[in-house]
Amino acid sequence: MATGLKIPVRVGKSGGAAIETNSQAQTKKNLILALSEGGDDNPFQRLGLSPTLLFKIKDAAFRAQALREVERKFDEFSETISLLPDEPITFKEDQEGIIELNVKYINLETNTVEEFTKKFSR
């Protein structure tokens, strides 16, 4: 079972850091961090997706790059989650320039299908 700090970081009942013991919540938290808008050049801490990929998604080539980047991020969590092979990763854009990423995956710890949705604004 995955554990980690609760987000937002806060003090627990015993006075130490509050720990998240719910594996589904921990997985969601890790996905939110991994699939947030990144752009960090630190080679030891590659968090998030490249903003240039997200904001040029209308182009078919950039859409393919963004799909590969999301798949790579999910591969980093291959011990706890697996992408559904028959469900595509989708990007939707509305009139205000908001891009919505939608991914369905299997939580391998609970063997349930879950959905991850993240919105990015331009």
Side-chain angles (χ1 to χ4, degrees):
M1 176 180 283
T3 61
L5 294 176
K6 283 194 175 187
I7 301 290
V9 177
R10 58 188 176 271
V11 176
K13 293 178 184 177
S14 63
I19 302 297
E20 182 66 70
T21 56
N22 181 334
S23 66
Q24 288 178 308
Q26 181 71 10
T27 300
K28 291 267 186 189
K29 177 183 71 175
N30 288 336
L31 286 175
I32 289 170
L33 289 172
L35 298 173
S36 294
E37 187 177 327
D40 188 3
D41 291 332
N42 183 343
F44 299 104
Q45 184 176 340
R46 298 261 180 201
L47 294 176
L49 300 172
S50 170
T52 57
L53 287 178
L54 294 172
F55 298 133
K56 295 181 180 178
I57 226 153
K58 286 184 178 180
D59 183 321
F62 278 105
R63 183 177 294 271
Q65 284 180 329
L67 283 172
R68 280 194 304 273
E69 184 68 22
V70 170
E71 287 171 350
R72 272 191 224 117
K73 291 293 182 180
F74 268 84
D75 284 345
E76 292 175 12
F77 299 101
S78 63
E79 295 176 6
T80 56
I81 60 177
S82 175
L83 288 173
L84 285 172
D86 56 341
E87 290 286 334
I89 298 169
T90 60
F91 294 97
K92 295 178 189 169
E93 185 172 4
D94 65 10
Q95 299 297 335
E96 291 85 36
I98 306 254
I99 298 171
E100 181 179 281
L101 165 68
N102 193 339
V103 183
K104 288 187 179 177
Y105 63 92
I106 300 171
N107 185 330
L108 298 175
E109 293 180 358
T110 61
N111 204 26
T112 57
V113 175
E114 298 182 21
E115 186 170 1
F116 177 80
T117 302
K118 173 81 175 157
K119 292 185 179 184
F120 301 92
S121 60
R122 291 184 187 235

